[in-house]
Amino acid sequence: MSGLYARVARRPSRGHVRRVTPVPIERADGLTAVVYGQVERDFGMLAPPVSLHSPAPPVLAACWIVLRETLVAAGRVDRATREAVAAAVSTVNSCPYCVEVHSATMAGLLRSAADPAGDDQRRRVAEWARAGTDRTQARDLVPPVPAVEAVELLGVALVFHYLNRMVNVFLEPSPLPAALPSALRGGVRRVFGQLMARGARGARPPGTARDLLPAAPLAPDLAWSSCHPTLADALARGGAAIDAAGQRSVPTSVRDLVTARLDDWDGRPTGISRAWVGEAVRDLPTVDQPAARLALLTAFASYQVDDQVVADVRAAGADDRALVELTAWASMAAARRAAGWVRVDPDAPASS
């Protein structure tokens, strides 16, 4: 990446992030610098949804490994179809930032293509991804693609269940400037999509980020990925790093509470009221209640996290690293649960 494009692509990473302070690219070192370099090389820009994790370097690496191996690395599924899944899941999760980015990227990739059959397939895949966010519907879904392709797409769905939550908590609602007049937004969005598509073109070999984190066993709830060894390895390494972050920064009582509520979760929105959060944390030790409120909202209604919820956690002693680790753990716990609802059967035929 060089010249004007490099400057334009880097600029958003300095803005948009709220509630934590990402490490500036010129001051990055160690693991953070290595991840930043890979993100710029393979994603085309230092994306704010990745850089927001930089106060916690192992979680930054985990985020990048799973994002790269699901959305970015070459596989059986084309990038535009992966972007369709990203946009579909982001829509269900009420994440306007990710909807805008990935809809624009898909449009940029397809702008010069005339492929009605491919468009039809992408629509079926997007519908499958949307339906898979509902536990009841997911049980009966048959993927519209062969199983190994469905595994790749389910990996994309998992990483966007994760990223949507982190983005809702830590980024502004749009990658475009808030002051941009509405009359100009369409044109700017098209240019933005072209820039994003430019970074998305070209084959990126799988597996090159794996050594950022140590090897780890594949957890039973991620066994659906086992027919895709590179993806399974990425999910195992990234999942283990985020689990370790949860051990460091999420009180045991909070992890137990979130896990218990995930057992009963059906994927549906909680509604506009947050009264359920107060009820849920009532019996926890007072010192754990701020972290519990943030973890619960992150997992189940990330768009409802506000400055006061975060300020309460900071008042209890959390710094930027602890905030990123707490929300990453809650986001990944919900993402893994949602991905586990979707049936990927290697012996089942693809639906038409």
Side-chain angles (χ1 to χ4, degrees):
M1 207 174 48
S2 61
L4 175 63
Y5 178 62
R7 294 195 295 275
V8 171
R10 276 187 173 187
R11 194 173 298 129
S13 69
R14 299 176 182 270
H16 301 294
V17 180
R18 56 185 177 176
R19 299 174 181 148
V20 294
T21 302
V23 176
I25 192 165
E26 62 273 13
R27 294 213 298 269
D29 58 11
L31 180 59
T32 301
V34 176
V35 174
Y36 276 10
Q38 289 194 15
V39 175
E40 284 204 308
R41 181 195 68 204
D42 289 345
F43 197 70
M45 63 178 290
L46 182 55
V50 179
S51 66
L52 72 83
H53 294 78
S54 58
V59 178
L60 171 71
C63 170
W64 171 238
I65 288 172
V66 297
L67 176 62
R68 187 189 187 282
E69 296 308 325
T70 57
L71 183 72
V72 178
R76 293 173 179 262
V77 181
D78 66 273
R79 180 66 178 268
T81 300
R82 298 182 193 206
E83 295 288 345
V85 170
V89 171
S90 300
T91 299
V92 175
N93 287 332
S94 301
C95 181
Y97 185 104
C98 289
V99 171
E100 193 156 18
V101 168
H102 297 285
S103 297
T105 304
M106 181 176 67
L109 287 167
L110 298 175
R111 185 153 287 124
S112 61
D115 181 15
D119 292 343
D120 251 8
Q121 179 75 327
R122 275 184 285 276
R123 279 192 289 272
R124 287 195 296 271
V125 164
E127 289 167 4
W128 171 75
R130 279 192 292 270
T133 64
D134 181 294
R135 183 177 186 172
T136 302
Q137 291 187 65
R139 291 172 182 154
D140 300 320
L141 287 178
V142 176
V145 293
V148 69
E149 295 181 15
V151 166
E152 289 186 356
L153 295 174
L154 186 54
V156 176
L158 182 151
V159 81
F160 279 90
H161 278 299
Y162 170 78
L163 278 176
N164 293 159
R165 289 165 167 81
M166 297 298 288
V167 165
N168 277 339
V169 174
F170 293 116
L171 295 189
E172 298 293 342
S174 173
L176 304 182
L180 186 68
S182 57
L184 300 178
R185 294 187 78 85
V188 173
R189 189 178 292 113
R190 283 191 293 275
V191 173
F192 175 73
Q194 290 167 2
L195 285 173
M196 294 298 295
R198 176 177 170 176
R201 292 191 179 97
R204 310 304 197 273
T208 60
R210 58 178 292 171
D211 292 335
L212 292 170
L213 292 172
L218 187 67
D221 67 295
L222 296 170
W224 52 266
S225 67
S226 58
C227 68
H228 194 307
T230 304
L231 175 58
D233 181 60
L235 293 176
R237 292 172 190 251
I242 292 175
D243 283 344
Q247 293 284 338
R248 282 191 297 271
S249 294
V250 187
T252 301
S253 67
V254 176
R255 295 199 306 273
D256 290 345
L257 175 61
V258 172
T259 301
R261 292 191 74 95
L262 284 170
D263 289 341
D264 296 327
W265 182 45
D266 61 7
R268 295 176 188 171
T270 59
I272 60 174
S273 172
R274 295 193 308 192
W276 63 273
V277 181
E279 290 293 318
V281 307
R282 183 179 53 194
D283 296 330
L284 293 187
T286 301
V287 70
D288 291 347
Q289 289 183 12
R293 282 191 289 271
L294 178 56
L296 286 168
L297 285 170
T298 299
F300 299 105
S302 57
Y303 46 85
Q304 290 188 329
V305 173
D306 59 23
D307 291 343
Q308 188 59 55
V309 171
V310 174
D312 289 344
V313 181
R314 284 196 179 278
D319 58 10
D320 278 6
R321 177 169 182 150
L323 282 172
V324 169
E325 292 190 332
L326 185 155
T327 49
W329 177 84
S331 296
M332 187 58 79
R336 288 167 62 164
R337 192 63 59 98
W341 297 336
V342 179
R343 180 165 62 95
V344 180
D345 183 355
D347 298 321
S351 64
S352 59

